[in-house]
Amino acid sequence: MKRGQGLHDRDPRARRDVVLPRHQLLQVRGRSVTWLVPLVMLVVIAVVDLNTTGELRIVSWCVFVAAIAAALCGVWTTVLFAVLAMVTYLAADAAWPDEYRGGLADFVLVLVGGILSAIACYVRVRGERRMRHMRNIAETTRRTVLRPLPPGWGGLDHAAVYLAADAVARVGGDFYDIQPGPHGTRVLLGDVQGKGLGAVEAAAALLGTFREAAYHEPDLRTVAGRLDTRMHRHRAHTTALGRDDGDRFATAVLIGFPEDDDSAVEVVDFGHEPPLAVGPAGVRILPLGDGLPLGLGELAGGGLPPVLRTALAAEETLLLVTDGVTEARDPAGAFYPLADDLVEALARDARTAEPARLVAHVRESTLRHTGGHLEDDTTIFAVRRAGAEADEGPVLGRLQT
């Protein structure tokens, strides 16, 4: 995989929310063969009926042929099998003496069953088309907000994956970006409270402000202030419109990679999960202040969280995630132990610290822990300075705080 490529662009397993039409589930060389299922059933019913005693009549089971076609095939294919079922019924019923015929009642059953199956298939296909259309809109919206990041953008190797929740079809408010500029490269990851277009709108507003402020402002604290102000302005605007999401807020973590120091990063936390530094020395949690989410700064007297400077080795990767990872639960209700899991993974293979491998591991581990059922949208984002290579020697498997 190319450095910086989003995993959701590469691996279909990272997009488990995609719904395939049912008639595409069984394919041979790219062609649908779902029609074979009702066809085989129809042939079996006809053969069994013609080769059993007259008292045992199963030809009326032809009504199930159209029903199965309605569940697997398209509308016209279902209509075709409904017609074939009636023809087969008439032919098989006429092959027996009068005393063994199914009669008009069974014929009406097959006829009405075929009509109802065709109607049900039409409703199903229309619903699938609508669902695909809505998911395409959500995907387009997400890609518009989360712009593609070129490989090595801002002097950073990076990888990211977004997983939509199973429980909610609406797009969420997770966001992330990298912005290089004359004062160094800045990274932002956050999660807007709530879901739907309102959350996407707030995420887009914050990303727009970040891209401008991160480029022009020399001080990371000023960038943080611009983000907090933008969230307040956005809330005031939605309130003035009479919308009920005027109290929306966003957790976020803002990171700066200074140009004058390759061995440190600056971090501002707005109530978000702390980043993890993952490298050959193990896993450590970056120290953070007690910042409140964007939009709630007035609860702390209007003050901004501090800008903390911390060392970061060249081979260390910063892992940033949203609460879809940290709050992922297994069927027993236990949270996914992210840091401990990474310690074990690094002990097995030091190359897990590479951004692409790290994101892929966390994605698979989160899905495995939850049994593939995510309760919240999940974003996993990993960055480190370009050119760093993980040491493949022994790893000190420990969690540092």
Side-chain angles (χ1 to χ4, degrees):
M1 184 180 69
K2 296 180 180 179
R3 287 176 176 174
Q5 181 178 0
L7 292 178
H8 53 264
D9 296 327
R10 176 184 67 90
D11 193 339
R13 291 177 299 172
R15 297 179 61 190
R16 301 189 179 193
D17 60 317
V18 175
V19 176
L20 290 176
R22 297 186 188 182
H23 64 277
Q24 293 183 6
L25 297 179
L26 298 176
Q27 292 187 346
V28 175
R29 296 182 180 179
R31 294 182 178 274
S32 175
V33 293
T34 52
W35 52 269
L36 282 175
V37 178
L39 178 62
V40 169
M41 183 175 183
L42 183 63
V43 171
V44 169
I45 290 173
V47 171
V48 171
D49 187 78
L50 292 173
N51 288 276
T52 53
T53 60
E55 291 84 355
L56 180 62
R57 303 305 311 280
I58 66 169
V59 67
S60 59
W61 289 14
C62 286
V63 69
F64 296 119
V65 173
I68 292 176
L72 298 176
C73 306
V75 176
W76 290 111
T77 303
T78 300
V79 172
L80 175 61
F81 274 107
V83 174
L84 288 176
M86 287 187 291
V87 171
T88 301
Y89 175 85
L90 292 174
D93 200 40
W96 290 96
D98 291 344
E99 61 270 22
Y100 296 131
R101 289 188 177 183
L104 180 61
D106 285 349
F107 174 76
V108 171
L109 175 65
V110 175
L111 174 64
V112 173
I115 295 174
L116 293 178
S117 296
I119 295 174
C121 182
Y122 172 76
V123 173
R124 190 211 87 214
V125 170
R126 186 176 64 176
E128 286 181 349
R129 288 175 178 171
R130 177 177 175 81
M131 178 61 70
R132 291 197 301 274
H133 178 66
M134 295 302 295
R135 289 185 178 272
N136 287 337
I137 292 176
E139 180 71 8
T140 301
T141 301
R142 188 184 63 81
R143 287 182 176 273
T144 300
V145 174
L146 301 179
R147 63 179 180 177
L149 298 176
W153 183 240
L156 301 178
D157 288 340
H158 56 85
V161 65
Y162 172 87
L163 300 175
D166 295 334
V168 181
R170 295 180 299 168
V171 66
D174 290 6
F175 59 93
Y176 61 87
D177 201 4
I178 297 174
Q179 180 58 59
H183 310 290
T185 299
R186 276 73 183 262
V187 174
L188 177 68
L189 178 136
D191 182 7
V192 177
Q193 173 261 336
K195 293 186 180 296
L197 292 179
V200 175
E201 183 183 12
L206 290 172
L207 284 174
T209 297
F210 167 74
R211 289 161 186 164
E212 291 301 312
Y215 181 87
H216 291 287
E217 300 294 345
D219 185 9
L220 192 66
R221 182 177 176 83
T222 304
V223 179
R226 293 274 298 274
L227 289 171
D228 192 58
T229 300
R230 186 66 182 93
M231 192 65 201
H232 281 286
R233 290 173 54 204
H234 180 75
R235 291 175 57 174
H237 179 258
T238 56
T239 300
L241 290 174
R243 287 164 41 177
D244 58 359
D245 58 347
D247 58 349
R248 196 182 295 275
F249 61 88
T251 63
V253 58
L254 175 64
I255 299 176
F257 289 81
E259 275 197 331
D260 58 352
D261 189 353
D262 291 340
S263 62
V265 292
E266 297 176 330
V267 183
V268 181
D269 177 69
F270 289 95
H272 199 78
E273 296 290 335
L276 298 179
V278 183
V283 179
R284 61 189 179 91
I285 302 174
L286 265 61
L288 296 177
D290 298 324
L292 294 176
L294 293 166
L296 301 181
E298 69 276 4
L299 299 180
L304 292 172
V307 178
L308 300 181
R309 196 178 185 96
T310 183
L312 185 71
E315 66 274 12
E316 284 187 309
T317 298
L318 288 182
L319 176 66
L320 302 94
V321 300
T322 57
D323 55 9
V325 173
T326 56
E327 296 182 4
R329 297 173 181 260
D330 63 12
F335 290 106
Y336 166 51
L338 173 60
D340 293 337
D341 178 61
L342 290 178
V343 169
E344 296 177 3
L346 286 169
R348 294 191 299 266
D349 186 356
R351 294 176 300 174
T352 303
E354 298 173 6
R357 292 175 180 267
L358 182 59
V359 168
H361 173 79
V362 176
R363 176 201 62 201
E364 294 299 330
S365 296
T366 302
L367 291 172
R368 182 168 55 250
H369 184 80
T370 61
H373 300 290
L374 299 174
E375 296 297 331
D376 196 4
D377 291 346
T378 300
T379 297
I380 309 165
F381 191 36
V383 294
R384 75 175 178 188
R385 289 185 174 87
E389 298 295 337
D391 182 6
E392 296 187 18
V395 174
L396 301 176
R398 65 176 183 269
L399 173 62
Q400 306 170 25
T401 58

